[in-house]
Amino acid sequence: MKNRLRVLRAEQNWSQAELGMRVGVTRQAINAIETRRYDPGLPLAMKIARVFEKKVDDIFELEDKD
Amino acid sequence: MPQDDKRDSGLRILALMFGALAVWAISYAIASGMLHHYPASARYRAAAVVIGVIGFVVWQLATAKLIGLHDEFTRRIHLIAFAIAFAVTGLFIFTTDLLQRAGFVDYIRLRTIWVVMLCAWWLALIGAQWYYRR
């Protein structure tokens, strides 16, 4: 699954740790999502969308292989 | 304050972890002592088993609680580690069973299987963390 997390985080000038704190996960979790090694569950995806004031679809995008 | 909450949560996790480990270690020591000092008494031996098992169950429940306190990503890592430990332990038991029946190895102690499972669990934890962090 593709995501725009790194770009959105950079726009807000947040570190991975800061974003992690805002959505209640570790910095490692944010890093794993950004590097596309881990796809978040729906609650976490919705929390991420909420802190960026966007829809989940605006941040995460399904690929053909998913 | 989020930082205070984080620190309190960390302290709570540490207290739970070390508390459960202490309960396990103490109950195991008591059980071992009873088995060593009262080998002739069936009542004492039964009590030793019950005490040892209760201590271990406490540790298991505390470990499950600890894992549940983490975020979904950390829980995923633990799930992967448990799955790998289960597979490795299953493979070890199956292989040693066949090796015993084939006459290549002698009796394997249950404690050996236990150590293999613990090692597999910890190595899998480290491996899963490494996979996601590289």
Side-chain angles (χ1 to χ4, degrees), chain B:
Chain B
M1 294 282 284
Q3 286 299 330
D4 287 344
D5 290 347
K6 201 172 176 182
R7 191 194 61 212
D8 290 347
S9 171
L11 286 174
R12 202 167 62 238
I13 287 172
L14 273 178
L16 186 59
M17 190 170 73
F18 284 110
L21 270 176
V23 169
W24 180 17
I26 291 167
S27 65
Y28 185 72
I30 291 171
S32 296
M34 289 171 74
L35 291 174
H36 180 73
H37 291 295
Y38 306 101
S41 167
R43 191 176 292 177
Y44 272 101
R45 281 185 280 126
V49 171
V50 170
I51 289 170
V53 169
I54 286 174
F56 186 69
V57 169
V58 167
W59 175 77
Q60 279 185 316
L61 291 174
T63 302
K65 173 79 176 167
L66 272 171
I67 292 170
L69 288 173
H70 287 103
D71 62 64
E72 64 168 59
F73 174 69
T74 309
R75 291 201 301 268
R76 167 73 69 88
I77 286 176
H78 279 286
L79 184 65
I80 292 169
F82 280 130
I84 292 171
F86 180 81
V88 169
T89 308
L91 181 65
F92 179 78
I93 292 169
F94 186 80
T95 306
T96 50
D97 176 52
L98 281 179
L99 287 171
Q100 276 179 13
R101 288 165 58 192
F104 290 118
V105 294
D106 288 332
Y107 169 74
I108 301 286
R109 296 170 67 182
L110 287 175
R111 242 182 261 175
T112 305
I113 298 171
W114 172 236
V115 170
V116 167
M117 193 194 74
L118 274 184
C119 289
W121 179 29
W122 284 105
L123 285 174
L125 259 182
I126 292 167
Q129 287 175 358
W130 172 82
Y131 171 78
Y132 283 113
R133 285 176 183 170
R134 70 195 162 99

Side-chain angles (χ1 to χ4, degrees), chain A residues 44-57:
Chain A
L44 178 55
M46 293 182 82
K47 283 182 192 170
I48 290 170
R50 190 166 59 192
V51 297
F52 288 118
E53 295 180 348
K54 295 194 178 295
K55 292 178 181 170
V56 172
D57 277 2

Side-chain angles (χ1 to χ4, degrees), chain A residues 23-64:
Chain A
V23 297
V25 297
T26 58
R27 183 194 66 76
Q28 287 79 11
I30 300 298
N31 182 60
I33 295 168
E34 286 187 357
T35 53
R36 297 169 63 177
R37 292 190 193 284
Y38 175 68
D39 293 331
L42 194 52
L44 178 55
M46 293 182 82
K47 283 182 192 170
I48 290 170
R50 190 166 59 192
V51 297
F52 288 118
E53 295 180 348
K54 295 194 178 295
K55 292 178 181 170
V56 172
D57 277 2
D58 296 334
I59 302 174
F60 299 97
E61 186 184 337
L62 270 179
E63 295 178 287
D64 289 341

